[in-house]
Amino acid sequence: MKLYNSATRTKDEFVPNHPDIVKMYTCGPTVYHFAHIGNLRSYIMEDILEKYLRYVGYNVKRVMNITDVGHLTSDADEGEDKMLKGAKRENKSVMEIAKFYTDAFFSDCAKLNIKTPDVVEPATNCIDEYIKIISKLMDTGYAYFAGGNVYFDTSKLERYYVFNDFNAEDLDVGVREGVEEDTNKRNRNDFVLWFTKSKFEDQALKWDSPWGVGYPGWHIECSGISMKHLGDDLDIHCGGIDNAFPHHTNEIAQSESYLGHKWCNWWMHVLHLNTTSGKMSKSSGEFLTVDLLEQKGYDPLAYRFFCLQSHYRKSLVFSWENLDNAQLSYQKLIARIASLKPGDGEVEQEAVDALKAKFTGALDNDLNTSLAVTALYDVLKYKTNDATKLAVLADFDRVLSLSLIAKADAKREELKKQTVTAGEFTIVSESGESDPSVEAKIQARQDAKKAKNYAEADRIRDELKAAGIEVTDIPHGAKWKRI
Ligand code: AMP
Ligand code: ZN
């Protein structure tokens, strides 16, 4: 399996450090607001990566943080604490909004079939871990105390920028929110490991530390949580592209200075979901949530399908028209799967192997999900029986998680309820309603056609039309709708 590694800027064969386990860390949400569908693009792609690793046979231990303290409005540790800002906005305590938005996040994930990581750790649970790391960094001269805060000294490193193949605009995202510069820093990119002197007297959460009562910086949280649960090394670290700098860059700086050796081998960054006017962000206030999509009548899984149709290393532009197209394609796909007959024949292993080869070939190539989606259509077109097709689709859906089989089963049930069968002839209403008088007329028209009385058949069709009913012939039946 080849995966692009942001740290080496090459697509390399993925080899975990330990043969029996893949250690995976994902930056989690800052729970001061709802996740927007841009954030969720990153989590969908990380979910695909985790599930595909499991699919090809790896054991995976995946850890994710919940940032409930220390993330300031600028990723460069300036501005206001996002959690405090959220609490003020809603007149609640920081812990209340942390709980509320953590629950909301996992509810969104469930709707998008995103699996909950093996370990989910709130940052406020690991204060001792951060203090241990920061103490050693102070002892070894990588950190300094200034103006009441503890900073990491980036000038101590031979190489600080690791991901410098990204364009300047992406790298700037974290630091451009127009906040005043912190004059305590020795170097522009030095970052806070521990705050004691904060601009916000009302900082809600504080802990004792060797440097005074205070709270951790955002970056140290991910290093501490990762080391607590995954030890001194890591196979894959994931996040959205805005995390590459400064967040991940700082994580590497502090972790490797602390450990004295390389920390994480693979860095996977998901490019942004943009609106036509730029990056979708929580701070801009204008963002779309899963709830909002549902209110507008979209199936959250149509959004997952939309994300899978593009490659994670390309930015993706959201528009309602694009989502409409994705929803339509998704519904058509489900309808086609629903037309397959479960139990029709024995599963043919040769066909399974041939179809799987294309699917794994796509995902082995740096998670090419759009080709993996195409592989679903190949299954439908393949010359094999329905039992084989359904078995292969169910297998692929272990990774894609589009609820293909459950939705197709539900669709079949729905169609059964909607249909009135007379012999071979099936009458279906597009809206799902049933109307015996309409169905009787459609049946009468069919009987007239069978008796070659086409004039009568046309008369009935006109009569229905005059009553606002449009009838369309479909194989082995007719469907109708109100116009
Ligand atoms: P946050 O809750 O702001 O800390 O972000 C959670 C995750 O979403 C991080 O991995 C971010 O890099 C990622 N992210 C933020 N904005 C976007 C976006 N517009 N598109 C894709 N991922 C994003
Ligand atoms: Zn992180």
Side-chain angles (χ1 to χ4, degrees), residues 392-406:
V392 175
L393 291 167
D395 181 62
F396 292 1
D397 212 34
R398 285 165 50 207
V399 180
L400 301 181
S401 299
L402 293 164
S403 294
L404 298 175
I405 301 302

Side-chain angles (χ1 to χ4, degrees), residues 27-30 36 38-39 41-43 46 71 82 218 239-243 270-273 279-280 282:
C27 287
T30 309
H36 58 65
N39 300 131
R41 179 192 193 199
S42 291
Y43 296 110
E46 292 156 0
H71 194 173
K82 291 187 179 189
W218 171 42
I241 187 70
D242 57 318
N243 282 165
V270 180
L271 271 281
H272 283 149
L273 179 81
K279 180 200 166 207
M280 189 173 290
K282 289 187 215 176

Side-chain angles (χ1 to χ4, degrees), residues 148-162:
N149 298 325
V150 180
Y151 295 86
F152 185 92
D153 186 347
T154 53
S155 70
K156 291 282 187 301
L157 301 178
E158 268 176 41
R159 184 171 177 232
Y160 170 64
Y161 293 103
V162 181

